[in-house]
Amino acid sequence: MNAWTLSYDGFDPGAERLREALCTLGNGRFATRGATPDGLTRTPGTYAAGCYDRLTSPIAGRTVINEDLVNLPDWLPLTFATPGCDYFRPERPGLLDYHQELDLRHGVLLRTLRRRDEAGRVTRVRQRRLVSMADPLLAALETTFTAENWSGPLRVRAALHGDVANRGVARYRDLRGDHLTGHATGSRDDLTWLTAVTRSSRITVALAARLDAPARPEVTAERTAVTSDLVLDLVQEEPATVTKVVALVTSRDHAIHDPRSAALRQARRAPRFEELLARHAAAWDGLWRRARMDFTDPELARIVHLHIFHLLQTLSPHTADLDAGVPARGLHGEAYRGHVFWDELFVLPWLNLRFPEISLGPLRYRWRRLPEARAAARAEGFDGAMFPWQSGSDGREETQTLHLNPASGRWLPDTSHLQRHVGLAIAYNVWHYRLATGSSPPWCVELLIDIARFFASLAVLDEPSGRYEIRGVMGPDEYHTGRPGAPSPGLDNNAYTNVMTVWLLMRALELRHLPTGVSEREAERWDDITRRMRVDFHDGVISQFSGYADLAELDWARYEGVRRLDRALEAEGDDVNRYKAAKQADTLMLCYLLTSGELLAILERLGCPAGPDLIPRTIRYYLDRTSHGSTLSAVVHSQVLAAAEHEEFGELLGEALMSDIKDVQGGTTEEGIHLGAMAGTLDLLQRRYLGLEARGDGLWAEPMLPDRCGGVALNLQVRGVPYKIDARDGEMRVNGETLIRGASRIVTFERGGMNMTGTGDLGRRIAHHRERLGLTREQVAERAAVSPGYVEYLEESTGSPSTDAVARLAGALETTVDELLGGAADRPPGRGPAAAAPVLEELDEKECLRLIAPGGIGRVAFNGSHGPTVLPVNYQVHEGAILFRTAAGGPMDQDLRTGMQGVEIKVGFEVDQIDEAHREGWSVLVQGPAHHVSEDETAELIGADVSPWAGGDRRLYVRIIPSQITGRRIHGL
């Protein structure tokens, strides 16, 4: 099994929708489902992050308004026809072979097929598709046709289709989905284009397409589609290729005049497919380097790669600059209408330790909607900010008022807007971003404080009991919407909500040293709430809510295997509110977010019974009463069971990992992948299997290392400090420190890897990246929140910057801490231990040049007068050449001269680096002729800032012109 591919053999119309979701390609800005470009049974979907629209629909005698993530025009259509035959459709007879493969490493969808027409002609087709991670406005489809046993004309038809609607979810089809209107089409200079406008949000979307083909197409423009027809003259066994390059632009994009002109410009400028692919693959390579989680078990490795792949297609470096949240189903389908729920709670912890700049985007999305959340709280009579359970374009509550039960066919009231706990998830993410990075922008603090104000105002003091209560809410369970027979929906004292409110207020009080605006009186009340919040108990366990103990037990044998009990019971005329039954973890979410020590400490602070057996009893109790009606349920329960070292951990871990690829919920994945579950499994493996977690004083490591998971190697960073983790055979190494299974340790930031090759190197790197960006020292200082004098000091002296300063400088210089530091000191002689999963990687010329571009120390190798010679030099890369200085008339000067005009001496030039912190290294070899720089040119090179290795008056410049550049990187030294 290949750990980097997801493969399908044969065409199965019934499974096509699931394949479409799992084979979606995206770049964080937009994504396109893996629909065939030529099928009849296809559910095409292209979705742009943050592109929403509202429509009004009459349902069950009421008028409802729903906001959707809009299905944008379909750029995929491309089919072919042999002489005298209809255009190819995979559902029709004649399909001999069919194979589809998703290349996870490079982000490419491959499809191959063979088709025999009615006349016996066999045509072979190979397609490669990408949505560019390097050029986020571009996508491409390359199709190569080969006539196996015939020669003659082949008709090819490519199109852009604007007559699309949101029809991807069957239970929504009674609602309007015709979001696009005002279509226009046309062509210009061999490009075709299509525009449309969303009905209410008035977002303009434009597509422009370029066909690279050996024949000129004939274009037909209609109201909602533009079609290009061309004819290829095929010769037997000689391939012919047609490439469709598409640009997609919306009026939400930055730096455009208008969407149509921008799309046309992008499509015209786009390179050919091979260059597009190379740039795209290089971008993915950079992401995988940071996202590395390489398991030795190939099946587990494939699932992990698939989950990382879809996470980074939804939230990428391109998303960081967008105003977009975390859609629960990714950009992969229309389930939940593309809304933002609480799934970021499961997504951001993994991103924080690898891509903190991406994590900041969803937090900023919430902060930008803070005024709407404040208004919502005021409207309900509360303080602070009340965030909606379902969010979309502007932050108002998008939860539907009615939902359809497919089991009964009835439209029912939807009260899930009472899940106020979404605000707790946002605050939790703010706090843990702060733990992972060591800082947070002032607006993050503002966000946390306003959420704390809201939950403090929710808490009402019950005088008879002397306890604070939170009434009329729903917990994460979702089955229980109210007490049986109660006149209004909502529950009192949901344990998850109450305990996490205490946690939040304690964190908010910790921030009082910052300018939070929290008054003394307010702080006193918050502190009082953290000591007197109500939490109910029954049968020696934490009660999910007040009155839970009075509910009936469900006949679980009768409903064995039924995951959506709410639907099944309603269809029978019953109500799930009557029973002790949960859709997913509710009370046990406390054990997911908090350590046992944290949870017990809060309960003790509240004066509640908190003996050592409380948590194991509570876990067992609710596990027996949960139907796992969502993909998140297996993630949460497997994490909780792993922490408790419970025997059922493995079974639920397997379900969590396979939830989407096997569609364990029965038909839901085809409507869009479950992003929270995918990211949650990554966090689960990291947090429970390896026991890794960012804390205030370093990286906590407490490896569990179950044998079933095999070995793993991964990279992460905490507060800008890189960590290299290798685990196998019951041992885990964190930056070279060995921990055995069951041990625990804090790996401090100092021990984590802040070892530099020399502050002189750091200064050169800072100067290099500053000059690369065309910035002054003052501009870098402003970006990094340091003084200009400090930047000058680091560039020109041997200062020792703090962890936070290095992290801020890396952000200001648009690079990483890794690259700014350049790794650790040279590895000492001798043999080191083998890594868990060592990898040797060939580097392309572009990557080699990037690595050596900052300059530094290299070695020149040549045949000297006394035999093979290798000498160290200080070098710079200047106008594509290697430049160094030596003494005129010295040994190197003489050895590098032939004495014959036109005859050059070819040399080797090598730069390498060992990064002990990351347990990896790289080496670049440049080969080419050495030239002495003439005196006339020397004056032009003074600004190149090349200092001689040995110091002194060495004014002779030598230039090496690269004729060949090669390199390698090794992971796991």
Side-chain angles (χ1 to χ4, degrees), residues 68 150 267 462 665 783 931-932:
D68 293 316
W150 65 283
D462 178 64
Q665 293 291 328
R783 288 184 173 194
H931 296 275
H932 292 72

Side-chain angles (χ1 to χ4, degrees), residues 791-809:
V791 177
E792 180 181 5
Y793 167 70
L794 291 177
E795 288 188 4
E796 298 183 1
S797 66
T798 56
S800 298
S802 67
T803 300
D804 288 345
V806 174
R808 292 198 304 273
L809 283 165

Side-chain angles (χ1 to χ4, degrees), residues 154 156 190 211-218 228-233 240-242:
L154 181 80
V156 177
D190 295 330
L211 282 184
D212 297 332
R216 187 180 181 86
E218 180 179 322
S228 299
D229 290 292
L230 56 90
V231 178
L232 302 178
D233 291 323
T241 299
V242 175

Side-chain angles (χ1 to χ4, degrees), residues 162-191:
D163 189 16
V164 298
N166 283 56
R167 291 287 181 264
V169 178
R171 62 187 176 278
Y172 299 165
R173 287 175 187 161
D174 288 343
L175 303 170
R176 287 183 63 188
D178 54 331
H179 291 282
L180 296 179
T181 187
H183 296 78
T185 62
S187 62
R188 176 185 294 179
D189 301 332
D190 295 330
L191 302 176

Side-chain angles (χ1 to χ4, degrees), residues 12-284:
D12 181 1
E16 191 62 20
R17 284 165 54 86
L18 177 59
R19 291 189 191 182
E20 289 175 351
L22 291 175
C23 292
T24 295
L25 296 179
N27 56 26
R29 181 182 165 274
F30 77 95
T32 297
R33 285 168 61 90
T36 68
D38 43 33
L40 297 171
T41 53
R42 60 193 296 264
T43 310
T46 292
Y47 310 96
C51 185
Y52 292 99
D53 187 60
R54 289 192 181 94
L55 289 176
T56 302
S57 306
I59 294 293
R62 297 171 60 179
T63 298
V64 297
I65 300 174
N66 282 291
E67 183 175 68
D68 293 316
L69 187 68
V70 179
N71 186 9
L72 301 179
D74 184 9
W75 65 269
L76 287 175
L78 188 147
T79 186
F80 65 96
T82 49
C85 298
D86 291 335
Y87 281 101
F88 169 73
R89 306 293 181 198
E91 297 86 351
R92 292 174 179 165
L95 190 62
L96 302 178
D97 298 300
Y98 193 92
H99 178 77
Q100 186 170 312
E101 184 174 292
L102 178 62
D103 179 350
L104 300 168
R105 185 187 289 275
H106 302 109
V108 176
L109 182 60
L110 171 70
R111 185 177 77 146
T112 59
L113 62 91
R114 294 173 66 243
R115 186 242 184 170
R116 180 189 289 119
D117 68 10
E118 295 88 333
R121 291 173 291 232
V122 177
T123 306
R124 187 167 67 249
V125 180
R126 182 176 186 268
Q127 289 185 321
R128 294 189 292 176
R129 182 192 308 181
L130 63 85
V131 173
S132 179
M133 188 62 78
D135 303 279
L137 301 177
L138 300 179
L141 174 66
E142 179 199 65
T143 307
T144 300
F145 302 97
T146 304
E148 290 191 2
N149 62 352
W150 65 283
S151 298
L154 181 80
R155 289 173 288 143
V156 177
R157 172 168 290 176
L160 301 175
H161 285 170
D163 189 16
V164 298
N166 283 56
R167 291 287 181 264
V169 178
R171 62 187 176 278
Y172 299 165
R173 287 175 187 161
D174 288 343
L175 303 170
R176 287 183 63 188
D178 54 331
H179 291 282
L180 296 179
T181 187
H183 296 78
T185 62
S187 62
R188 176 185 294 179
D189 301 332
D190 295 330
L191 302 176
T192 55
W193 58 267
L194 181 152
T195 62
V197 182
T198 57
R199 290 186 183 274
S200 61
S201 56
R202 308 307 295 172
I203 298 171
T204 300
V205 57
L207 276 72
R210 187 188 81 214
L211 282 184
D212 297 332
R216 187 180 181 86
E218 180 179 322
V219 175
T220 303
E222 300 172 308
R223 187 180 68 85
T224 61
V226 57
T227 304
S228 299
D229 290 292
L230 56 90
V231 178
L232 302 178
D233 291 323
L234 295 188
V235 177
Q236 185 173 346
E237 289 298 340
E238 292 187 8
T241 299
V242 175
T243 300
K244 184 180 188 180
V245 178
V246 176
L248 186 155
V249 181
T250 78
S251 53
R252 298 183 77 247
D253 288 320
H254 304 310
I256 64 167
H257 178 270
D258 66 275
R260 191 188 73 158
S261 68
L264 288 167
R265 286 160 63 87
Q266 292 292 330
R268 184 178 298 111
R269 293 174 175 176
R272 297 278 178 165
F273 186 85
E274 288 300 333
E275 184 178 343
L276 262 179
L277 176 60
R279 285 157 52 166
H280 169 70
W284 267 111

